[in-house]
């Protein structure tokens, strides 16, 4: 009897509070964003081969005092910190006092995605920065970023409790529209990656370009316009449901601010010969728009439910978790 009570007490001592897990998830979210940004710095400064082998940097684990080698090495350190933090969140989610299976699975997926960056990064260097390898490396980081956004929101929900649900028509339509805009936001990021692969910043001297720059840019602009129109409609629906979805509206307005700034930076960089500093700002803001759309969609689904049919036909239902 005493042994059983002792084992139970030990399990309770090992458990983590939902607040602790939430804080760890928020730190991991910032870390993964920095991984995305630092990876963009590597590419835009032509530092992709600053360390010409992997996992060492030239002949030693640490770089020589040279700009490109230092940039690449710092990116590896930032990525390692991101990997460690996502692993910590994955373990912490399993040790939470009130287990959340969905949170645990999402945190594990994020951790696996970050760990997968290690061999993928090595392969990218070994392939001399082949554009498809570089793009895959970048897009995997963005996928993980989106998953960690979900983890952070879900972890916070375990602290604050379930959000107040709503079933207004505007809220339901906003949920369906947000879910439809999410793949369009992903397409926006992917086409932006193609533009970078075809442009003057492929990652290093002599690195192969991928496709035609102006064709890639034209497709990117079209998708950006389609996303902008859809996002404007989403804001209109959220304004109609502002009483019950005030927090989501604020998040969407923040995305709008970043989106407008990104468009302004995009036009400025195009008119000024694509300086890498402006391209970096554009990439960072694109990542924030993607994360913001994931956040808006997750918040709406948690409050309204998951759309199962097409709302334009009036034949949809919403399934709550």
């Amino acid at each position: 009897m005493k042994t059983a009570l002792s084992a139970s007490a030990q399990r309770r001592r090992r458990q983590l509070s939902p607040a602790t897990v939430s804080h760890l998830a928020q730190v991991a979210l910032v870390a993964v964003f920095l991984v995305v940004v630092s990876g963009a710095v590597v590419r835009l400064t032509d530092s992709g081969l600053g360390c010409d082998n992997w996992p060492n940097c030239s002949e030693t684990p640490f770089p020589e005092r040279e700009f490109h080698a230092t940039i690449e090495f710092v990116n590896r350190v930032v990525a390692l910190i991101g990997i460690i933090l996502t692993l910590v969140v994955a373990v912490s989610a399993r040790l939470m006092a009130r287990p959340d299976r969905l949170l645990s699975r999402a945190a594990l997926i994020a951790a696996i995605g970050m760990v997968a960056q290690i061999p993928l990064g090595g392969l990218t260097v070994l392939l001399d920065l082949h554009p498809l390898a570089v793009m895959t490396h970048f897009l995997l980081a963005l996928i993980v970023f989106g998953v960690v956004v979900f983890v952070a929101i879900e972890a916070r929900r375990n602290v604050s409790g379930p959000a107040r649900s709503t079933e207004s028509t505007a809220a339901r339509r906003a949920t369906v529209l947000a879910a439809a805009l999410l793949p369009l936001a992903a397409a926006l990021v992917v086409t932006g990656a193609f533009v970078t692969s075809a442009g003057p910043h492929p990652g290093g001297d002599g690195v192969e370009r991928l496709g035609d720059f102006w064709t890639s840019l034209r497709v990117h602009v079209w998708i950006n316009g389609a996303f902008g129109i859809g996002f404007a409609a989403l804001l209109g629906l959220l304004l109609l449901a502002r009483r019950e979805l005030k927090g989501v509206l604020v998040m969407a307005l923040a995305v709008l601010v970043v989106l407008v700034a990104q468009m302004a930076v995009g036009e400025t960089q195009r008119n000024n010969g694509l300086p890498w500093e402006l391209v970096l700002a554009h990439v960072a803001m694109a990542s924030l728009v993607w994360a913001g759309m994931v956040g808006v969609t997750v918040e709406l689904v948690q409050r309204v439910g998951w759309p199962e049919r097409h709302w334009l036909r009036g034949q949809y239902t919403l399934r709550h978790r």
Side-chain angles (χ1 to χ4, degrees), residues 30-81:
V30 174
V32 174
F33 174 67
L34 293 178
V35 171
V36 174
V37 173
S38 67
V41 172
V42 169
R43 182 169 194 171
L44 297 172
T45 58
D46 294 336
S47 301
L49 295 176
C51 296
D52 56 5
N53 58 9
W54 186 92
N56 287 343
C57 193
S58 297
E59 300 300 323
T60 63
F62 301 99
E64 299 177 358
R65 294 183 177 179
E66 194 270 333
F67 176 76
H68 296 301
T70 301
I71 292 293
E72 168 62 10
F73 182 76
V74 169
N75 175 57
R76 292 183 182 185
V77 172
V78 172
L80 179 61
I81 294 172

Side-chain angles (χ1 to χ4, degrees), residues 102-190:
L102 184 59
L103 173 63
S104 297
R105 290 177 177 176
L108 179 61
I109 290 171
I112 292 172
M114 285 299 293
V115 171
Q117 290 281 54
I118 298 175
L120 185 55
L123 182 63
T124 301
V125 172
L126 295 176
L127 291 175
D128 293 326
L129 304 184
H130 189 281
L132 290 178
V134 174
M135 189 184 305
T136 303
H137 194 40
F138 173 69
L139 293 178
L140 177 58
L142 281 178
I143 291 171
V144 173
F145 190 30
V147 176
V148 177
V149 169
F150 171 80
V151 169
I153 293 175
E154 184 71 9
R156 187 189 64 192
R157 187 184 66 83
N158 279 282
V159 177
S160 60
R164 187 174 62 181
S165 62
T166 177
E167 294 187 359
S168 69
T169 301
R172 287 182 290 184
R173 291 182 173 179
T175 304
V176 177
L177 184 55
L181 283 174
L182 201 54
L184 199 57
L188 193 61
V189 174
V190 172

Side-chain angles (χ1 to χ4, degrees), residues 191-228:
T191 56
F194 270 99
V195 172
T196 305
S197 296
H201 303 292
D205 294 333
V207 174
E208 178 186 355
R209 266 64 171 179
L210 184 64
D212 177 69
F213 174 76
W214 293 108
T215 301
S216 299
L217 180 62
R218 193 175 301 112
V219 173
H220 181 64
V221 170
W222 289 342
I223 293 178
N224 191 48
F227 177 79

Side-chain angles (χ1 to χ4, degrees), residues 266-274:
E267 187 64 20
T268 303
Q269 69 179 11
R270 187 178 69 86
N271 293 330
N272 288 276
L274 301 175

Side-chain angles (χ1 to χ4, degrees), residues 24-25 41 88 125 186 197 206 242 284 312:
L24 289 171
V41 172
V88 167
V125 172
S197 296
R242 60 187 177 275
L312 289 176

